[in-house]
Amino acid sequence: MSGGCFLCHLTEIPDGAARGFDWDRGGERPVPILVFRRGEQVYGYRNACPHIGVPLEMDPDRFMNREGTHLQCSTHGALFRVDDGMCVEGPCVGRPLRPVPLVVDGEGRVMPAGS
C-alpha cells in the first residue's frame, strides 16, 4: 500500500498484473484502488465491485482471473475488461469499475493524474 500521490514505479507491477494501493488524496480517507500494467500503459480503478462494493481481491494483489485476461471479483466471480473496467460476466454485467486516471512520468513513477 502507498500514501501520497506517488503510488509506485512502473517496474514494481509485473506486466499483465495488477496491484492494490491506498490512494491518499490529502486530508481525506485513503481510497483503495488497483493499478493494472500492460507494457508501458497503466489502468487504474477503484477497488470496489459495482455489484456490492466489496474489494475485488481476497488475497493481496490477486486481481486477475486464472487466464490472466480479466480483472475478477473474488467474491462472486464477476469479470471486468482491463481497458475500460466494464463488467462482461457476473451479476453486474454492463456496469463498470470506477476509473482512476493515472500517469507515468518520465522516471517511471505511477501517480494519479493531476497529482
Side-chain angles (χ1 to χ4, degrees):
M1 298 292 180
S2 176
C5 295
F6 169 74
L7 298 173
C8 69
H9 281 94
L10 183 65
T11 57
E12 295 177 70
I13 304 172
D15 196 9
R19 282 190 52 202
F21 298 91
D22 283 333
W23 174 22
D24 182 354
R25 299 189 307 169
E28 297 178 35
R29 202 166 95 202
V31 175
I33 66 171
L34 67 94
V35 178
F36 176 86
R37 175 183 175 200
R38 180 179 292 142
E40 300 299 308
Q41 272 192 304
V42 290
Y43 301 86
Y45 299 101
R46 295 233 181 163
N47 186 5
C49 180
H51 178 224
I52 56 174
V54 296
L56 295 183
E57 88 285 24
M58 282 189 194
D59 296 320
D61 302 329
R62 301 227 23 207
F63 292 100
M64 304 305 293
N65 64 342
R66 240 181 245 141
E67 297 79 17
T69 57
H70 291 81
L71 298 164
Q72 182 173 30
C73 178
S74 60
T75 300
H76 49 68
L79 296 177
F80 303 87
R81 291 188 302 235
V82 171
D83 296 349
D84 62 7
M86 185 60 68
C87 182
V88 295
E89 185 176 311
C92 48
V93 168
R95 295 175 59 197
L97 297 169
R98 289 182 60 190
V100 175
L102 301 172
V103 296
V104 180
D105 73 7
E107 296 179 22
R109 295 179 294 198
V110 178
M111 299 174 281
S115 296

